[in-house]
Amino acid sequence: MNKAAIQRFAIQARKDLIAQVSQRSYQYGITAESYGEINAVTIGGRALTSDQQRQRKELVEQIRCKGYTQVMEEVAYTWFNRLIALRFMEVNNYLPSHIRVFSDSTGAFRPEILNDVLHLDLPGLDTDKVAEFIENNQTEDLYRYLLLTQCNALNEALPQMFEKMGSYTELLLPNNILKQDSVIGRMVTEIPEEDWKDQVQIIGWLYQYYNSELKDETFALLKKNVKITKERIPSATQLFTPDWIVRYMVENSLGRLWLEGHPDDELRTDWKYYLDEAEQEAEVQKQLEAIRAECRNIKPQDIKVIDPCMGSGHILVYAFDVLVQIYKKHGVSERDAVQNILEYNLFGLDIDDRAAQLAYFAVMMKARQYDRRIFSRGIQPHMFAIQESNRLDGGTIDYFTNNDPKLKKDFGTLVDELRDAKEYGSILDITPVDFAALYARVEEVREEISLYREMVLNSILPLIQTAEVMAQKYDVVVTNPPYMGNSGMSGKLSEFVKKHYPDSKSDLFACFIEKGNRMTVQNGFNCMVTMQSWMFLSSFEKMRTQTLKSHDIVTLMHMENMVLGIAFGTAVTVFRNHYTRGYKGTYNQIKLCDIENGKPIEFPVAGNRFARVSTDNFSKIPGSPVAYWVSEKLIKAFGNTMLYNYSVSPSQNVTGNNGKYVRKHWELDSSKIGGKDSWIFYAKGGGYRKWWGNLDDIVNWTPNARKIYQYGDGIHASQIINQDYWYKQGITWGLITSSIPSFRVMPEGATFDKGGSTIIVESKVFYFTLALLNSKIYVVIAEILNPTLNFQVKDVRSIPLVLEHTKEISNTVMVCVELSKSDWDSYETSWDFKRHPLV
C-alpha cells in the first residue's frame, strides 16, 4: 500500500473540499459573515427552485446551530466519505450496477457512467432529464446528476453512508468535478488502484490522514492552554491502529473466548498473534476449568463484541474475519455467518459522525466480500455515531411517548442520560430500559402521517439505537481508546470524569479501561491498547490496584516509544472479568527494531522481555506497578524494611519569587551567608553529580523573608517546610533528569526547593542509603516504581533496605563524599574554593 500517496491525497483533499463547498455556499448567498434571508427565493437575481430553497434553509439552520466553519468542515468530510466509498466499491466491482462512477476499465479518469447513459440501469434515473443535459451539451451538470443519483440509489443498501437525495449536502457538491485536478481526478490518478482492492484498511488510513492537519491545529491550541471542544476530540484522539496490533488484540480476546470452550488447533494455527496460556498451578487450573466449562456452552451467535471507540472500523473488520472463521468451524455457511454477525455479534460506537460512517461502510464492505447478495438482504450492522438528546423539544418527546407513563419514564431516562453525549462518549453509563417498547413505538410512528414523523425517524430512533448499544453487556470489548490528559479536557468532560471515574480521571484512556471492564460480562475479555502510564504512575495507583484485585491480566504486550507511531510507550492489555488468585499472565516487550523492515513479529520467549507471572506479585511492590520483569529475589526484597521507615519528606520550599529571594553565593558579601537568620545554601537540583556538590545558590532565610514564604505576599504562591526540618542534613537530587539520577549530601544549615527534591534520613542509615541510591540497583528499582524522567520523593522512599554490611558500606561512602567535596571545591564557583589544583 502506497501510504505516502494516500497521505498526500487525503491532506490536500480536505483543503480542496472545504474551499469548494465554501464556494458553493457563497453561490447561494451564504458566507462566514452572513447568510441573508433564511427563506430567500432568489440569490443575485437568480431564482431558486423549491428544492434549492428548502436545502438552503436547512443549511442556514445548521450554520445557526453549529457555526459556519464547523458546517463547512462536516459537509467537506461527508463528500470525502462518499467519494472514497464509491471509489472502493467501483474498484472491487461492488456497485449493484457494475458501472464505474469515476474511471473506466483501464483505471483512467474517464467515468464509465457517462457512456451510453440513456440506457443506464440506475434506480431513480430520470431519462428525460438526462436527455436534456445531453441535448444542451451540459456534461458537467449531467455528471453531477448521475453522481447524486448513484448516491441516492445506494441509500437502501447503505443508508448510513448515502443519505436520500435532497439534503443540503447535495447543494454543496463541489463544482468542476470532471477536471483532472479535481478531488475525484486526483483520487483516481494518485492512489494506485491496487491499494483499493479488498483492503478495507485503506479507509482507515484515509481517515487518519484526512484529519492530520486538523489534529496539528488542535495540538497547537492545547499548547496555548485552549481546552478541546467536543467537536475537536476526534481529531485530537483518533489514532489508526496498525494491522498487526489489531490482529493481536482480536485473536487474544475474541479468539481466546472461543478457544476457551472450543479448542481447535487449526484455528489456533491460523491466528498468528495468538499467545498460548501460561502453564498454571493445579488450583488455578481447577478454577480455569470451571470457566471453560461455561464457555463450552457458547454458540457463535451468542457472542457480543463491541468497539466503543471504533474510529474507521479497523478492529471490527478483523473481528468480522475471525467470527466468519468461528462460524465455519461450527458448521455454518459463510452467507448465514455474515447475516448472524451483522445481526447478533458486532457492535460499534464513536462520537464522530463521519468516522462512524466509515466504520459502518468498512464492515458492510467486509460483509460484501463474503456475501455478494448482502445489499439486497436488508440487514444493517449495529455501528452508530453516538447521539445526544440536546436538540429534542418537549413537543416531539410528548408526541413520541404518546401519554404512556412507562414509555415516558423510559424515554425520559435516556434523554436525561444522553445530554451532551458527544462530550463524554462511550464512558457514559446508560440505564437499561424497555427498548423493545421504544422500538415498537417507532414502528407505529413510521406508519403515521405526522409533522413529527421525520423527527422521530431521524433523531429519536438513532438516539434509542445508541442507548441500547451503550446499555448492553458484552463478551468482548476491544478498542484503541482516546488518549487525553485532564488538562486538555473541556470543563464539562473534566468534571464528569472526576465525578464518575475518580480513580482514572488523569487520562481518558484510563477511564475507558475502567468502563471496558464494566461493560464485559463475567469471564468476558476487555482488550485495549493504551499509554503505558497506567501500569506505573502514582496517579493511576487506585485504579490499578482495584483492577488487579478484580481482573486477570491474560496477556500484556508492552511496546516501547514509536512502536505505535507515537513518541511514548504503549501497552496492549487483555483483561478477563474474573480474578483468579495465582493466575499467571503472559507478558512480552516489543521494541521498535522488532517491527522494522516489515518483518513478521516474533514475540520474545526469554529474558527480561518475556515473563509469565501472577499479578499477585505486583501488590508486593509499593504502588503495585505492573513490573512483570522483576525477579523473584527482588520481589522478596520489597518484603524488607523500606526507606519510608527511616526517612521523612518535609515537602519543599517555594519562595514565590526566586528572582527576588534567590542568588548565587558570590553575589552577596560572605558575612551575610551561613547564619540561621540570614542567607543559607539552597539545593535546586542541577546536573549529574554524585555524593556532593551543585551548591552555589543561596536563599534569603531572614525572619521577614520566611514570613512571606509562609503567609504569601498577596501576589505569588509560596510555602515553607516545617521548622522541625530547618537546617537538617539530607539527601538531595534533581527531580527531572534526562539520564540516570544522581544523589548527594545536602549539608546541615542548608535547605531546598522543588527542583532539588530532598529527604531527611536517620543518621544510622544515612550513608548506607546514599550508597544504595547511587548504585545500579536503584536504577533497576526506579524503573519498576516509575519508569519516567521524574524521580519523585514517594518513589525514592519506596525502595527496600536490606541492612547488611552497613558499617563497611557507610565508611566507603563517607570517603566518596570527601573526595567529591574536594573535587567540587576545586572549582572557583565553590564556596570553599581555595586554589585550583593545577596551580
Side-chain angles (χ1 to χ4, degrees):
M1 182 178 291
N2 189 341
K3 291 179 185 174
I6 294 168
Q7 182 177 22
R8 285 193 301 271
F9 165 73
I11 290 174
Q12 190 60 43
R14 176 175 174 267
K15 294 177 181 176
D16 292 347
L17 285 170
I18 291 174
Q20 290 161 10
V21 299
S22 299
Q23 176 60 31
R24 286 286 295 180
S25 174
Y26 174 78
Q27 289 177 234
Y28 289 92
I30 299 171
T31 66
E33 290 73 35
S34 66
Y35 46 76
E37 171 57 45
I38 189 172
N39 294 310
V41 295
T42 61
I43 294 295
R46 172 172 55 90
L48 302 180
T49 66
S50 58
D51 282 344
Q52 289 173 333
Q53 291 175 40
R54 175 182 51 77
Q55 291 167 349
R56 184 184 183 280
K57 183 177 180 180
E58 286 178 8
L59 176 57
V60 170
E61 288 172 347
Q62 287 291 315
I63 291 172
R64 279 178 165 180
C65 177
K66 300 178 180 178
Y68 177 86
T69 301
Q70 182 65 26
V71 172
M72 294 303 109
E73 180 81 58
E74 288 180 1
V75 175
Y77 204 157
T78 297
W79 275 112
F80 181 77
N81 282 4
R82 290 172 181 169
L83 296 178
I84 64 174
L86 286 169
R87 178 61 172 160
F88 184 90
M89 294 181 76
E90 74 166 12
V91 168
N92 290 288
N93 198 25
Y94 287 173
L95 289 170
S97 66
H98 302 291
I99 303 293
R100 288 188 169 221
V101 182
F102 302 136
S103 60
D104 62 14
S105 58
T106 70
F109 178 42
R110 286 190 293 269
E112 192 176 52
I113 201 170
L114 286 171
N115 300 338
D116 200 16
V117 68
L118 286 171
H119 297 94
L120 190 64
D121 183 15
L122 194 62
L125 188 69
D126 185 336
T127 53
D128 291 338
K129 185 177 286 190
V130 169
E132 184 180 340
F133 285 131
I134 294 174
E135 185 178 341
N136 294 321
N137 200 29
Q138 295 173 300
T139 305
E140 173 83 17
D141 291 333
L142 171 61
Y143 185 61
R144 291 172 64 85
Y145 173 68
L146 294 175
L147 181 57
L148 290 168
T149 304
Q150 175 63 88
C151 290
N152 193 55
L154 289 168
N155 169 259
E156 186 174 352
L158 300 167
Q160 291 185 52
M161 176 58 76
F162 298 100
E163 300 169 353
K164 284 189 177 180
M165 199 157 59
S167 77
Y168 67 90
T169 58
E170 175 188 334
L171 198 70
L172 300 185
L173 173 62
N175 296 320
N176 302 316
I177 52 179
L178 278 175
K179 284 188 173 182
Q180 284 290 330
D181 63 351
S182 69
V183 171
I184 296 174
R186 289 190 302 101
M187 177 174 63
V188 172
T189 58
E190 292 180 10
I191 302 177
E193 187 162 307
E194 191 63 31
D195 287 354
W196 297 91
K197 290 184 177 177
D198 276 335
Q199 295 191 56
V200 180
Q201 64 173 294
I202 192 176
I203 303 297
W205 284 116
L206 283 164
Y207 171 70
Q208 175 94 348
Y209 292 136
Y210 184 94
N211 281 314
S212 58
E213 287 197 338
L214 186 60
K215 186 172 189 172
D216 292 341
E217 292 171 16
T218 302
F219 280 116
L221 290 173
L222 274 174
K223 289 180 180 178
K224 297 176 182 177
N225 294 320
V226 177
K227 301 293 186 180
I228 297 177
T229 62
K230 63 183 177 183
E231 290 81 14
R232 282 187 175 269
I233 289 176
S235 66
T237 59
Q238 289 284 7
L239 182 68
F240 188 72
T241 315
D243 189 62
W244 69 274
I245 294 179
V246 168
R247 290 172 181 267
Y248 176 96
M249 295 172 74
V250 173
E251 289 170 11
N252 286 288
S253 55
L254 170 59
R256 188 175 301 278
L257 179 77
W258 182 253
L259 292 183
E260 290 277 87
H262 309 81
D264 190 306
D265 290 339
E266 188 175 350
L267 276 180
R268 165 65 186 87
T269 303
D270 287 342
W271 297 337
K272 304 299 182 186
Y273 297 94
Y274 181 88
L275 298 180
D276 288 322
E277 192 166 62
E279 185 176 338
Q280 308 291 340
E281 301 293 335
E283 185 57 36
V284 174
Q285 285 284 14
K286 184 178 178 181
Q287 295 180 65
L288 294 180
E289 184 51 44
I291 293 173
R292 290 168 185 148
E294 293 182 16
C295 290
R296 283 192 278 274
N297 297 323
I298 296 176
K299 298 181 177 60
Q301 61 267 32
D302 297 332
I303 301 171
K304 282 186 168 62
V305 181
I306 187 171
D307 183 342
C309 320
M310 63 183 171
S312 56
H314 192 186
I315 292 173
L316 291 169
V317 165
Y318 186 59
F320 200 116
D321 284 329
V322 170
L323 283 164
V324 167
Q325 295 170 37
I326 289 171
Y327 271 105
K328 289 172 71 174
K329 279 290 183 177
H330 203 64
V332 179
S333 69
E334 278 192 359
R335 190 187 75 173
D336 290 341
V338 167
Q339 293 187 42
N340 284 343
I341 291 167
L342 295 179
E343 287 190 273
Y344 304 122
N345 297 128
L346 281 188
F347 299 81
L349 293 168
D350 204 280
I351 58 172
D352 184 0
D353 292 7
R354 308 285 80 81
Q357 268 191 342
L358 292 177
Y360 160 84
F361 176 75
V363 168
M364 287 301 290
M365 292 305 99
K366 178 57 68 172
R368 171 60 180 79
Q369 180 181 323
Y370 288 110
D371 180 2
R372 60 189 300 271
R373 298 187 184 277
I374 191 64
F375 295 159
S376 63
R377 301 194 195 283
I379 303 170
Q380 294 296 310
H382 307 284
M383 272 93 237
F384 302 114
I386 291 175
Q387 302 297 309
E388 52 188 17
S389 58
N390 302 36
R391 298 182 65 190
L392 282 182
D393 62 82
T396 304
I397 293 172
D398 289 342
Y399 170 77
F400 177 70
T401 54
N402 200 26
N403 295 320
D404 182 323
K406 185 176 183 305
L407 207 62
K408 188 161 189 167
K409 180 182 177 183
D410 281 356
F411 189 64
T413 297
L414 300 186
V415 169
D416 289 341
E417 292 176 345
L418 288 170
R419 293 193 196 282
D420 298 311
K422 284 189 178 293
E423 191 89 47
Y424 314 126
S426 302
I427 58 174
L428 272 173
D429 287 326
I430 301 299
T431 304
V433 297
D434 188 349
F435 286 104
L438 294 174
Y439 284 124
R441 176 57 183 152
V442 169
E443 293 309 308
E444 287 178 7
V445 173
R446 196 186 297 275
E447 303 302 319
E448 295 175 1
I449 300 174
S450 167
L451 294 173
Y452 292 110
R453 181 178 181 276
E454 292 305 309
M455 179 64 82
V456 169
L457 297 180
N458 296 331
S459 297
I460 289 182
L461 175 57
L463 197 74
I464 296 169
Q465 291 170 325
T466 294
E468 183 181 32
V469 173
M470 294 176 78
Q472 288 183 146
K473 294 277 191 176
Y474 294 87
D475 300 280
V476 176
V477 178
V478 56
T479 195
N480 185 347
Y483 311 163
M484 183 192 295
N486 200 275
S487 61
M489 299 179 193
S490 68
K492 279 184 180 179
L493 181 56
S494 178
E495 289 304 311
F496 179 86
V497 298
K498 286 176 184 175
K499 179 179 178 180
H500 297 281
Y501 294 88
D503 295 343
S504 52
K505 64 188 176 186
S506 297
D507 201 290
L508 266 184
F509 81 79
C511 299
F512 272 95
I513 290 178
E514 266 200 68
K515 177 61 175 178
N517 285 335
R518 295 209 300 254
M519 291 175 79
T520 52
V521 299
Q522 185 68 25
N523 302 326
F525 293 101
N526 171 32
C527 178
M528 296 198 178
V529 52
T530 66
M531 293 172 68
Q532 66 174 359
S533 49
W534 77 270
M535 300 167 61
F536 310 107
L537 297 191
S538 59
S539 52
F540 300 109
E541 183 177 336
K542 287 184 179 179
M543 168 257 189
R544 180 170 59 247
T545 303
Q546 181 57 38
T547 301
L548 298 178
K549 286 180 179 177
S550 56
H551 289 75
D552 295 332
I553 293 181
V554 181
T555 67
L556 190 151
M557 179 169 63
H558 189 195
M559 300 176 287
E560 73 173 0
N561 298 0
M562 298 307 298
V563 170
L564 195 59
I566 46 183
F568 46 78
T570 49
V572 181
T573 314
V574 179
F575 300 97
R576 175 166 43 213
N577 190 7
H578 183 276
Y579 171 66
T580 312
R581 182 178 294 278
Y583 178 84
K584 293 178 182 177
T586 300
Y587 298 80
N588 296 96
Q589 186 183 64
I590 303 298
K591 293 185 174 293
L592 191 58
C593 61
D594 295 325
I595 64 168
E596 289 176 337
N597 304 319
K599 60 186 179 185
I601 285 289
E602 294 184 9
F603 292 104
V605 293
N608 288 341
R609 296 174 59 197
F610 170 81
R612 283 180 161 159
V613 297
S614 168
T615 55
D616 298 340
N617 283 357
F618 307 147
S619 63
K620 299 173 184 176
I621 304 172
S624 299
V626 183
Y628 55 87
W629 62 88
V630 180
S631 68
E632 287 290 335
K633 189 173 183 179
L634 186 52
I635 289 174
K636 287 180 180 178
F638 280 104
N640 287 275
T641 301
M642 289 196 301
L643 181 54
Y644 260 112
N645 303 110
Y646 292 93
S647 65
V648 293
S649 169
S651 186
Q652 61 199 19
N653 296 298
V654 178
T655 70
N657 188 348
N658 278 359
K660 182 176 181 180
Y661 297 110
V662 179
R663 296 280 188 275
K664 295 297 183 183
H665 69 78
W666 54 83
E667 294 183 79
L668 266 69
D669 187 280
S670 60
S671 65
K672 296 181 179 180
I673 303 172
K676 290 192 173 182
D677 289 331
S678 59
W679 290 72
I680 63 175
F681 280 94
Y682 200 36
K684 288 176 57 63
Y688 181 84
R689 187 168 183 87
K690 289 182 178 181
W691 314 118
W692 183 276
N694 287 355
L695 272 177
D696 48 28
D697 291 296
I698 54 175
V699 63
N700 190 338
W701 207 250
T702 62
N704 285 339
R706 295 198 303 258
K707 185 176 180 181
I708 290 171
Y709 308 155
Q710 184 170 5
Y711 299 108
D713 60 5
I715 301 174
H716 306 94
S718 59
Q719 69 181 41
I720 191 168
I721 64 173
N722 188 296
Q723 187 171 354
D724 292 343
Y725 304 110
W726 293 0
Y727 317 119
K728 287 186 178 294
Q729 177 180 257
I731 295 177
T732 187
W733 66 95
L735 174 65
I736 300 174
T737 177
S738 59
S739 60
I740 60 176
S742 56
F743 296 81
R744 52 199 162 269
V745 174
M746 183 191 74
E748 288 185 12
T751 192
F752 58 94
D753 81 344
K754 61 182 178 182
S757 299
T758 300
I759 55 175
I760 309 300
V761 180
E762 290 185 22
S763 59
K764 62 182 178 182
V765 295
F766 183 90
Y767 289 106
F768 179 86
T769 300
L770 187 57
L772 177 59
L773 291 173
N774 276 329
S775 70
K776 291 182 179 180
I777 296 172
Y778 175 70
V779 175
V780 173
I781 295 172
E783 288 178 350
I784 297 168
L785 299 174
N786 184 359
T788 71
L789 299 179
N790 289 357
F791 292 89
Q792 304 283 350
V793 169
K794 177 188 174 189
D795 300 322
V796 171
R797 295 182 66 212
S798 294
I799 64 170
L801 295 180
V802 181
L803 296 175
E804 297 177 1
H805 309 292
T806 56
K807 186 175 180 180
E808 299 94 317
I809 291 171
S810 297
N811 288 338
T812 302
V813 171
M814 284 189 279
V815 173
C816 291
V817 170
E818 285 303 314
L819 289 171
S820 182
K821 186 177 186 304
S822 177
D823 174 70
W824 178 255
D825 291 342
S826 69
Y827 294 94
E828 292 181 0
T829 52
S830 168
W831 170 260
D832 287 322
F833 174 76
K834 298 292 189 299
R835 186 179 66 182
H836 196 281
L838 297 181
V839 175

